[in-house]
Amino acid sequence: MSDFGPLKLHVPEPVGRPGDEPDFSYIDIPEAGSVRMPAVDADAKDMRDLAYTMIRVLDDNGEPVGDWAKYVDDEMAMKGLRDMLKVRAFDARMFMSQRQGKTSFYIQCTGEEAIACAHQMALEKGDMNFPTYRQQGLLISQDFPMVDMMCQIFSNEKDMLKGRQLPIMYTSKEYGFFSISGNLGTQYIQAVGWAMASAIKGDTKIASGWIGDGSTAESDFHASLVFASVYKAPVILNVVNNQWAISSFQGIAGGQQSTFASRGHGFGIPSLRVDGNDYFAVYAASRWAAERARRNLGPTLIEWVTYRAGGHSTSDDPSKYRPKGEAEAWPLGDPVERLKGYLVKKGLWSDERHEQMVAEIEQEVLDAAKEAESHGTLHSGPKPSTRDMFEGVFKEMPRHLREQRQKLGV
Amino acid sequence: MARMNMIEAIRNAIDLSMGQDDNVVVFGEDVGFFGGVFRCTEGLQAKYGKNRVFDAPINESGIIGAAIGMGAYGLRPVAEIQFADYVYPAIDQITSEAARLRYRSNGDFTSPLTIRMPCGGGIFGGQTHSQSPESLFTHVCGIKTVMPSNPYDAKGLLMAAIEDDDPVIFFEPKRLYNGPFDGHHDRPVVPWSKHPLGEVPEEAYKIELGKAAIRREGNDVTILAYGTMVFVAEAAAEETGIDAEVIDLRTLLPLDVDTIVESVKKTGRCVVVHEATRTSGFGAELAAEVQERCFHYLEAPVERVTGWDTPYPHAQEWEYFPGPARLGEALERAMEA
Ligand SMILES: Cc1ncc(C[n+]2csc(CCOP(=O)(O)OP(=O)(O)O)c2C)c(N)n1
């Protein structure tokens, strides 16, 4: 007789499913300002605690507090507010365009706007992001033309990617935005390679890699951490923990056992865990990591704690797998409201001015959408040429592709 | 002119490419200080420094993923996968990323990589040191696939591959590293120093990708071969007395269709030979091309002589490896038809 009972497989479950009340008691939220800011050249082993806490700047009264509040700047706050509102309005409009059949697909980043918008402010011209599909704020905060983004979404005649790519998979070398791929995690190690190249050439540019909580389970996440650590690559390794990967909660990616930030520890990579809905905290942590990278002190891993307020994509219905009202119950609040709260408290902003700005931005987005639509939408109006389908597979078109193009008669 | 084996020719090609272009960097498992398990990068780290020739962690997806990032920055990485049998962890990075980057970004970003990997059997390498996975790559749009059969070509093709702005998979038949091999494993190995294709100019030169070479002219039957099979084909022709024309494809994609078609129209018969397994192997593509383009000229069905549809075995090496006897029988069948 064995003294062992039968083994049981542990399959993590989220605290709530449809019909349940939202419950975020699993997330410990330290007081804003309570986490210290180490020197940029601090040793990874002397800052391990920072992977298990949460860097926060704005307190519940909209007051910036603590070490990480040192970069708070009102002009930047105004810009941040505008950028985030633009992203939100852009998302809302494009979501609607998908529902109207003007495109096949869209992905919103509602609730996560602060992360990309504030992070981009900490980068410099020439640095390169390797984003996922949920960092449209990196482009919008740089005033990348919205019409161009929309033309890509509509796959129309002005689509910069000639209709070859699924909506939202933008690319812009000029704006430091690497070509988005549908394959999760692949771009994370590419960011490390890009950073290695910058170091090989003795450049001063840095890379910023992006991944979601779910995708940290991909093998390329591990590869990225090994390479970044071995070569001390000038790269920021961002993990956007929005609690969900389509219908899987972050526990399915290993988030119940430890924080995502703590993954950096085994590789000796300094790792921060940050309130992702706090524009100032995002900026300060990004700046800290960017400076480390630029001073050749190596990579930093940052877990941004946030919540995916919308569905995964236009093809997803979150009411099928998570409690209603989770976004409203999310304890870190809404990034736009929190930054607005700060500005109002300082007497720099008001509800009226805010409403006016929202209306202005909605108009701007609507105008951009009208212009983009005048160049065609997925099923109507001008399209990219069929000939373009064959271009760009190789630098020069080889014979077999020329023959195939001729077969199609274009 | 110098005498070089294939290893020396490859090393020389990388050396010259690194000398010509500061953006060429070399990395992979054991390629740095040690100079590679097959010595193909020996001395390069001492010459060009650790910044340009370095060891990589044992992670093939990491190696290719990092190379893609470097390429996007503007470098020209030459990455080594220690054995073609170990490329599978990197397949996602090669097919979903390197191959498609130019297309999906409309040329905003490109992947000018060269991915070198020793391939092929005939060395008692067993299941994971003998494979020929070329058809996994010829099936992917956006990458070029090259396999030289001798030192002269290896150097010229590798220099062309490194300079090429598209990603190139560069297969090196390791059985040919030290000398040509015609499948007669019971005979002593002849070194490259005794073969005319072991004569390699010391200066830089390129062989255009996408161009085949006729190794033996003949009128009876066309043999389409590449890598080690080129020498097997020459031996089979001599031993059967059949006047076969042996075409060394050199580049599998883009394929030199003109050379193939011209030859088959002349001979009216075609035998395809490769080490890789048969089903969905590159030979199927070759047979289909010949059938489509030369149908009215064919006097016999296109034959395929290939590895069997099994994993590459150890003890049964010579029953598996398509040697001159097996190819000879196919030539005779083609002539009888
Ligand atoms: C390699 C790969 N596997 C699966 C998918 C399908 N897929 C697309 S998004 C997604 C969830 C990703 O979740 P996460 O990384 O948490 O990012 P988020 O969507 O929450 O921003 C999955 C499984 C994919 N695109 N690529």
Side-chain angles (χ1 to χ4, degrees), chain A residues 111-126:
Chain A
E112 304 175 34
E113 293 90 344
I115 300 166
C117 289
H119 184 80
Q120 183 62 47
M121 292 303 106
L123 299 181
E124 285 180 17
K125 185 106 193 122

mmCIF file of all heavy atoms in Angstrom, chain A residues 111-126:
data_model
loop_
_atom_site.group_PDB
_atom_site.id
_atom_site.type_symbol
_atom_site.label_atom_id
_atom_site.label_comp_id
_atom_site.label_asym_id
_atom_site.label_seq_id
_atom_site.Cartn_x
_atom_site.Cartn_y
_atom_site.Cartn_z
ATOM 1 N N GLY A 111 -7.932 51.577 -21.285
ATOM 2 C CA GLY A 111 -7.457 51.330 -19.922
ATOM 3 C C GLY A 111 -5.946 51.249 -19.828
ATOM 4 O O GLY A 111 -5.373 51.347 -18.750
ATOM 5 N N GLU A 112 -5.290 51.046 -20.990
ATOM 6 C CA GLU A 112 -3.827 50.872 -20.991
ATOM 7 C C GLU A 112 -3.114 52.051 -21.646
ATOM 8 O O GLU A 112 -1.913 51.981 -21.940
ATOM 9 C CB GLU A 112 -3.459 49.580 -21.723
ATOM 10 C CG GLU A 112 -4.148 48.349 -21.157
ATOM 11 C CD GLU A 112 -3.883 47.081 -21.969
ATOM 12 O OE1 GLU A 112 -2.790 46.924 -22.521
ATOM 13 O OE2 GLU A 112 -4.798 46.239 -22.042
ATOM 14 N N GLU A 113 -3.850 53.141 -21.875
ATOM 15 C CA GLU A 113 -3.301 54.241 -22.679
ATOM 16 C C GLU A 113 -2.043 54.860 -22.086
ATOM 17 O O GLU A 113 -1.154 55.329 -22.803
ATOM 18 C CB GLU A 113 -4.348 55.345 -22.872
ATOM 19 C CG GLU A 113 -5.557 54.949 -23.717
ATOM 20 C CD GLU A 113 -6.696 54.373 -22.886
ATOM 21 O OE1 GLU A 113 -6.470 53.996 -21.720
ATOM 22 O OE2 GLU A 113 -7.821 54.282 -23.416
ATOM 23 N N ALA A 114 -1.986 54.918 -20.746
ATOM 24 C CA ALA A 114 -0.860 55.623 -20.119
ATOM 25 C C ALA A 114 0.477 54.961 -20.442
ATOM 26 O O ALA A 114 1.505 55.637 -20.572
ATOM 27 C CB ALA A 114 -1.045 55.661 -18.608
ATOM 28 N N ILE A 115 0.445 53.646 -20.573
ATOM 29 C CA ILE A 115 1.715 52.918 -20.668
ATOM 30 C C ILE A 115 2.482 53.328 -21.929
ATOM 31 O O ILE A 115 3.620 53.799 -21.847
ATOM 32 C CB ILE A 115 1.466 51.395 -20.615
ATOM 33 C CG1 ILE A 115 0.781 51.053 -19.277
ATOM 34 C CG2 ILE A 115 2.764 50.626 -20.752
ATOM 35 C CD1 ILE A 115 0.176 49.670 -19.228
ATOM 36 N N ALA A 116 1.851 53.163 -23.096
ATOM 37 C CA ALA A 116 2.562 53.500 -24.328
ATOM 38 C C ALA A 116 2.804 55.002 -24.438
ATOM 39 O O ALA A 116 3.885 55.443 -24.845
ATOM 40 C CB ALA A 116 1.782 52.991 -25.538
ATOM 41 N N CYS A 117 1.794 55.791 -24.072
ATOM 42 C CA CYS A 117 1.924 57.246 -24.250
ATOM 43 C C CYS A 117 3.055 57.813 -23.385
ATOM 44 O O CYS A 117 3.874 58.604 -23.864
ATOM 45 C CB CYS A 117 0.611 57.956 -23.913
ATOM 46 S SG CYS A 117 -0.681 57.666 -25.146
ATOM 47 N N ALA A 118 3.116 57.413 -22.124
ATOM 48 C CA ALA A 118 4.143 57.972 -21.243
ATOM 49 C C ALA A 118 5.509 57.358 -21.525
ATOM 50 O O ALA A 118 6.538 58.039 -21.438
ATOM 51 C CB ALA A 118 3.760 57.744 -19.785
ATOM 52 N N HIS A 119 5.521 56.080 -21.883
ATOM 53 C CA HIS A 119 6.803 55.436 -22.183
ATOM 54 C C HIS A 119 7.496 56.129 -23.354
ATOM 55 O O HIS A 119 8.702 56.403 -23.309
ATOM 56 C CB HIS A 119 6.585 53.957 -22.515
ATOM 57 C CG HIS A 119 7.853 53.197 -22.732
ATOM 58 N ND1 HIS A 119 8.631 52.737 -21.698
ATOM 59 C CD2 HIS A 119 8.509 52.830 -23.863
ATOM 60 C CE1 HIS A 119 9.694 52.114 -22.188
ATOM 61 N NE2 HIS A 119 9.636 52.161 -23.510
ATOM 62 N N GLN A 120 6.707 56.429 -24.383
ATOM 63 C CA GLN A 120 7.296 57.055 -25.570
ATOM 64 C C GLN A 120 7.971 58.380 -25.214
ATOM 65 O O GLN A 120 8.995 58.745 -25.796
ATOM 66 C CB GLN A 120 6.222 57.276 -26.644
ATOM 67 C CG GLN A 120 6.746 57.864 -27.943
ATOM 68 C CD GLN A 120 7.766 56.962 -28.639
ATOM 69 O OE1 GLN A 120 7.560 55.760 -28.791
ATOM 70 N NE2 GLN A 120 8.896 57.532 -29.035
ATOM 71 N N MET A 121 7.422 59.089 -24.221
ATOM 72 C CA MET A 121 7.994 60.376 -23.816
ATOM 73 C C MET A 121 9.391 60.203 -23.211
ATOM 74 O O MET A 121 10.175 61.141 -23.177
ATOM 75 C CB MET A 121 7.087 61.069 -22.781
ATOM 76 C CG MET A 121 5.751 61.537 -23.323
ATOM 77 S SD MET A 121 5.935 62.662 -24.723
ATOM 78 C CE MET A 121 5.465 61.590 -26.071
ATOM 79 N N ALA A 122 9.676 59.003 -22.733
ATOM 80 C CA ALA A 122 10.984 58.768 -22.109
ATOM 81 C C ALA A 122 12.028 58.305 -23.126
ATOM 82 O O ALA A 122 13.198 58.146 -22.800
ATOM 83 C CB ALA A 122 10.843 57.736 -20.994
ATOM 84 N N LEU A 123 11.579 58.075 -24.371
ATOM 85 C CA LEU A 123 12.512 57.636 -25.413
ATOM 86 C C LEU A 123 12.959 58.823 -26.238
ATOM 87 O O LEU A 123 12.384 59.912 -26.162
ATOM 88 C CB LEU A 123 11.853 56.593 -26.314
ATOM 89 C CG LEU A 123 11.404 55.297 -25.631
ATOM 90 C CD1 LEU A 123 10.784 54.351 -26.656
ATOM 91 C CD2 LEU A 123 12.561 54.607 -24.911
ATOM 92 N N GLU A 124 13.995 58.610 -27.050
ATOM 93 C CA GLU A 124 14.479 59.680 -27.909
ATOM 94 C C GLU A 124 14.356 59.280 -29.364
ATOM 95 O O GLU A 124 14.250 58.095 -29.684
ATOM 96 C CB GLU A 124 15.929 60.000 -27.551
ATOM 97 C CG GLU A 124 15.956 60.774 -26.256
ATOM 98 C CD GLU A 124 17.349 61.151 -25.790
ATOM 99 O OE1 GLU A 124 18.287 61.108 -26.601
ATOM 100 O OE2 GLU A 124 17.454 61.485 -24.600
ATOM 101 N N LYS A 125 14.415 60.284 -30.203
ATOM 102 C CA LYS A 125 14.365 60.048 -31.644
ATOM 103 C C LYS A 125 15.483 59.063 -31.997
ATOM 104 O O LYS A 125 16.621 59.244 -31.553
ATOM 105 C CB LYS A 125 14.565 61.386 -32.360
ATOM 106 C CG LYS A 125 14.421 61.318 -33.848
ATOM 107 C CD LYS A 125 13.099 61.933 -34.327
ATOM 108 C CE LYS A 125 12.838 61.559 -35.770
ATOM 109 N NZ LYS A 125 11.590 60.868 -36.010
ATOM 110 N N GLY A 126 15.160 58.060 -32.756
ATOM 111 C CA GLY A 126 16.185 57.081 -33.129
ATOM 112 C C GLY A 126 16.104 55.804 -32.312
ATOM 113 O O GLY A 126 16.582 54.766 -32.740
#
